[in-house]
Amino acid sequence: MVYLENIGRYFMMLGEVFSRTTKWPMLKKLILKDIDDLIYGSLGIIIFISFFIGGVVSIQTALNINNPLIPKYLVGFTTRQSVILEFAPTFTSIIMAGKVGSYITSSIGTMRVTEQIDALEVMGINSLNYLVLPKIVALMLYPFVIAIAMYMGILGGWMAAVFGGYSSSAEFIQGLQIDFDTFHVIYAFLKTMVFAFLLATIPSFYGYYMKGGALEVGKASTSSFVWTSVAIIIANYLLTQLLLG
């Protein structure tokens, strides 16, 4: 029953987020701040992880190709498919659930503990719109981060294959080009937009409705990471079945 109650409160929260909008000059400042905190501040870790994930996929693919009849360009093909379809959008989003989600939950939760949210309500400000909507808008730039993750993953795979002696550069690039379907990139960006919405709203829910003190802020951050990850995995399955099934 607690889970059903939370689901109901979550959708009621979404209704409140998009009502009684904050004035644009203030909203614009909040959006720009959240872009800097949530998007720009996450680029470093995303680039680092994506580069080495692409390298690992490339090496593992090459090491499992023992049959001389299997063409070497399969290394590039497998790296491209793995990075674009799953590792860049889904694996990166789960990492972001830990980094960005915990930040959102702890920041809003701290405002709840220190009664800043109550102060916003006393001033007649829709606190949910003020706190959550800028994060939703900021994370609509999340596909830009995923595009960089795709590029760095493929670059990491190319460097691992070529400099590790597993494949030539020409063979790897041939694998990148063969049977390329542009819809796979569109599919990755479409589900990334859904993930971005979940990344903005679920951690906000746990931060906004938390009760207690500093210890409960940490517990809320953990809960938000777990349930955001669960929601991303379920959404990934449903969207894959819907768009590629």
Side-chain angles (χ1 to χ4, degrees):
M1 292 302 294
V2 174
Y3 297 144
L4 292 177
E5 179 186 354
N6 285 339
I7 291 172
R9 291 174 71 189
Y10 171 75
F11 284 104
M12 290 176 65
M13 181 197 79
L14 294 182
E16 190 68 21
V17 166
F18 296 101
S19 65
R20 295 166 50 207
T21 307
T22 305
K23 292 183 179 179
W24 172 246
M26 178 57 69
L27 193 63
K28 181 174 70 172
K29 292 180 181 178
L30 295 171
I31 291 171
L32 293 176
K33 181 180 182 301
D34 283 332
I35 289 174
D36 183 57
D37 292 337
L38 306 180
I39 300 296
Y40 183 74
S42 302
L43 286 178
I45 186 65
I46 295 303
I47 289 172
F48 176 80
I49 291 175
S50 299
F51 181 84
F52 285 99
I53 286 293
V56 169
V57 171
S58 179
I59 293 172
Q60 288 183 346
T61 303
L63 292 176
N64 283 280
I65 298 177
N66 297 320
N67 193 324
L69 297 177
I70 299 177
K72 291 290 185 181
Y73 68 72
L74 188 63
V75 177
F77 175 82
T78 304
T79 302
R80 183 199 75 199
Q81 293 295 95
S82 300
V83 169
I84 289 178
L85 290 176
E86 282 306 316
F87 281 104
T90 307
F91 188 73
T92 299
S93 296
I94 292 176
I95 294 170
M96 291 283 277
K99 184 184 184 301
V100 171
S102 296
Y103 169 79
I104 292 174
T105 303
S106 60
S107 61
I108 296 179
T110 301
M111 292 183 69
R112 171 64 73 186
V113 169
T114 56
E115 299 182 349
Q116 295 180 54
I117 294 178
D118 296 328
L120 290 173
E121 294 289 347
V122 168
M123 290 187 291
I125 296 173
N126 181 356
S127 58
L128 279 171
N129 180 270
Y130 183 88
L131 295 172
V132 182
L133 185 61
K135 292 173 175 54
I136 295 174
V137 175
L139 281 170
M140 289 301 103
L141 294 176
Y142 185 51
F144 170 73
V145 177
I146 298 303
I148 295 176
M150 290 178 182
Y151 173 79
M152 293 306 300
I154 292 173
L155 177 63
W158 174 81
M159 292 187 69
V162 173
F163 292 103
Y166 299 106
S167 173
S168 68
S169 179
E171 288 173 330
F172 190 90
I173 293 174
Q174 181 186 3
L176 294 180
Q177 295 174 337
I178 196 167
D179 291 335
F180 177 70
D181 188 353
T182 54
F183 181 73
H184 288 167
V185 179
I186 297 172
Y187 152 79
F189 285 149
L190 286 175
K191 69 178 185 178
T192 295
M193 295 292 287
V194 176
F195 296 164
F197 186 81
L198 296 174
L199 283 169
T201 54
I202 295 178
S204 297
F205 170 81
Y206 278 96
Y208 189 85
Y209 290 107
M210 65 143 291
K211 296 179 181 178
L215 181 62
E216 282 70 24
V217 172
K219 292 180 179 179
S221 297
T222 302
S223 297
S224 75
F225 168 68
V226 171
W227 288 109
T228 304
S229 300
V230 169
I232 287 173
I233 291 170
I234 293 174
N236 182 48
Y237 172 80
L238 295 175
L239 290 169
T240 301
Q241 184 67 31
L242 179 65
L243 297 175
L244 296 183

